[in-house]
Amino acid sequence: MKERRIFIRFCVLQAAYWSFYAAFPGYISAFALSQGISTSLLGVILAANMLCALSGSLIWGRWVDKNKAGRKFYLLGNGVALLLGLFLYLFGESPIILLITYSLFGFMTGPIPTTLDAWVIATFPGRTDAAARSRAFGTLGFAVVMLLMGQLIVRFGYEAMPVAAVLFMAVNFAVAPFQPKNREDGEGNAVGQREVCSGESPRQLLASRRYMLMAAAVFFTGMAIAPINTMKLVLLENVGGDVSVLGWDSFIGCMIQIPFLMLAGKIRHVRSEKRLLMGAGFAMLYTLFVIQAGNPLVVIIGTICNNISFGILFPTMREMTEESVSSGLRNTAHGVIDVAYGSLAGMLATAWSGVMLERSGIAAMGSICIIMQTIAISFCFAILLAGRKRRKISGPPCASRV
């Protein structure tokens, strides 16, 4: 019963954080464009945010691993993020202030989702689907708030953003102090996870070929989808949509994602290498649908494919990481994967996507996205083939896996 209450509170934290993310960062592009920021400058601002999120994930992730301070950082990161968000809203009409503040915002918020997921994994080492199931509530919160915020912004303006941000952060601060501190598993590591070794260094991550191939695959997937995600409002407006359609786009896509996260434990009979390839395949469909869209409905269909992709990739990335590294590098290892999929890929992609969209149009941007996703699928095939070769050497596969 106690563990159930702890897990429910983690679900509340996921919902509160991702609701905050939907209410503020989720509409930051629309807010910046409303302040007269050009799409090319917006691309630079978003790239700077992702660069800082990248560095923040690595720096804070290593700090959390050393100090076992997941709860402490979660509270600190959210508090600073809220203050920066309010400052950005009040003074965001200046491009310089917007650039600096949103960069610092990325430095603090970039590691928060990874820290929260790793905190869940460390608290429930025997439940390999705990992170995915709790994240499903984050997705639900994100979906509902994205939908509502789109309607509220159309009706009341961007004043709705800071009000919602304060509300959801209040829930975070009310619940997080009652959760257990980060702890190392005293009854054995999570299934398939390596033992903790003293003197661990992040360089040890390079020793796992499977881990590095997975990082490469998700990196190029991120490179393919980041420009589309970042410029989604521009793409929707090009086919007759607006900010309210963006809300519906996010809501419908996220509602499709939730069942895949909730059923993460049920689909583990499919080998992780195959699931990684499936996720990459749906990401390719996302790029094809959105780039060829002639109306908002086709964009939404593409978004559905992207959310199916994430619903498959997220638990698969967490599982493969747990199997490849020791718990002493848990936050660092998950942070590197999240950086590869999100911050690093997004930083590089958004730096050029806004300029290319202005100068060469959607088709040129889309062609590069398709090339990136083709590379990602190639890495997935490499992991799949390497896994088959490894199983042939070690013996016949387990009958419970396909």
Side-chain angles (χ1 to χ4, degrees):
M1 183 61 71
K2 180 180 179 181
E3 284 197 355
R4 181 178 176 82
R5 289 198 297 268
I6 292 173
F7 182 73
I8 290 173
R9 288 197 293 268
F10 272 126
C11 293
V12 172
L13 290 178
Q14 292 275 16
Y17 174 75
W18 287 105
S19 295
F20 163 77
Y21 193 92
F24 208 95
Y27 281 93
I28 197 66
S29 294
F31 173 74
L33 292 172
S34 74
Q35 300 296 310
I37 302 297
S38 66
T39 55
S40 57
L41 179 56
L42 175 61
V44 173
I45 292 172
L46 295 176
N49 168 269
M50 292 176 185
L51 173 62
C52 290
L54 183 159
S55 59
S57 294
L58 299 178
I59 293 170
W60 286 114
R62 188 59 186 146
W63 182 81
V64 170
D65 276 335
K66 286 183 175 180
N67 297 281
K68 302 296 179 286
R71 185 176 69 177
K72 184 182 296 184
F73 173 74
Y74 186 78
L75 290 167
L76 172 66
N78 277 295
V80 175
L82 178 60
L83 294 176
L84 288 170
L86 295 176
F87 184 82
L88 187 152
Y89 172 77
L90 293 173
F91 304 101
E93 69 276 0
S94 167
I96 298 298
I97 291 179
L98 184 61
L99 173 64
I100 295 173
T101 306
Y102 201 49
S103 296
L104 294 174
F105 186 90
F107 184 78
M108 296 306 301
T109 59
I112 290 176
T114 305
T115 301
L116 182 54
D117 292 337
W119 189 7
V120 175
I121 292 170
T123 305
F124 300 98
R127 293 180 58 181
T128 56
D129 63 339
R133 289 175 64 85
S134 65
R135 177 65 80 92
F137 289 88
T139 301
L140 178 62
F142 182 88
V144 172
V145 175
M146 280 295 290
L147 177 62
L148 293 178
M149 286 299 296
Q151 311 304 315
L152 290 173
I153 289 173
V154 169
R155 185 171 181 180
F156 300 107
Y158 289 97
E159 291 82 359
M161 291 172 61
V163 174
V166 171
L167 174 64
F168 295 125
M169 276 301 179
V171 175
N172 260 325
F173 298 140
V175 175
F178 295 98
Q179 292 298 81
K181 295 181 180 179
N182 261 35
R183 69 173 188 262
E184 288 302 322
D185 175 22
E187 301 176 356
N189 293 318
V191 176
Q193 188 179 317
R194 297 181 181 180
E195 297 295 325
V196 180
C197 301
S198 59
E200 290 174 307
S201 166
R203 288 193 296 271
Q204 293 175 2
L205 300 178
L206 301 176
S208 175
R209 182 170 180 268
R210 185 169 184 251
Y211 176 82
M212 295 306 297
L213 285 173
M214 178 186 64
V218 299
F219 167 71
F220 281 103
T221 295
M223 285 284 286
I225 67 176
I228 301 173
N229 290 341
T230 302
M231 298 298 169
K232 180 69 71 68
L233 180 59
V234 177
L235 296 173
L236 279 170
E237 290 176 341
N238 188 63
V239 293
D242 57 19
V243 69
S244 63
V245 176
L246 178 63
W248 278 107
D249 174 86
S250 298
F251 176 77
I252 294 172
C254 289
M255 295 304 292
I256 296 295
Q257 181 189 127
I258 290 172
F260 288 90
L261 294 175
M262 293 297 293
L263 296 175
K266 303 293 185 182
I267 63 174
R268 288 190 71 249
H269 68 280
V270 179
R271 292 194 180 277
S272 55
E273 297 94 337
K274 292 183 179 180
R275 281 180 274 139
L276 192 70
L277 180 60
M278 289 168 56
F282 275 104
M284 174 64 86
L285 291 177
Y286 174 48
T287 63
L288 294 174
F289 272 115
V290 175
I291 298 306
Q292 298 297 321
N295 59 71
L297 178 60
V298 179
V299 176
I300 292 174
I301 293 174
T303 299
I304 290 173
C305 292
N306 187 42
N307 279 272
I308 293 175
S309 171
F310 184 79
I312 297 172
L313 286 178
F314 174 76
T316 303
M317 292 187 298
R318 292 291 185 253
E319 178 186 333
M320 292 177 72
T321 300
E322 287 290 307
E323 292 172 348
S324 301
V325 304
S326 70
S327 61
L329 290 171
R330 174 179 284 132
N331 282 273
T332 303
H334 287 303
V336 169
I337 294 299
D338 288 350
V339 161
Y341 181 73
S343 304
L344 179 59
M347 177 193 68
L348 296 175
T350 54
W352 57 263
S353 59
V355 176
M356 177 162 286
L357 195 60
E358 283 186 340
R359 296 181 178 179
S360 303
I362 295 173
M365 186 186 82
S367 298
I368 296 179
C369 292
I370 292 171
I371 292 171
M372 293 297 174
Q373 192 56 38
T374 301
I375 297 173
I377 290 174
S378 299
F379 276 110
C380 291
F381 271 113
I383 297 171
L384 184 62
L385 294 174
R388 288 180 176 177
K389 182 178 179 181
R390 184 175 62 252
R391 286 190 295 275
K392 285 181 179 180
I393 295 173
S394 61
C398 175
S400 63
R401 293 274 183 134
V402 297

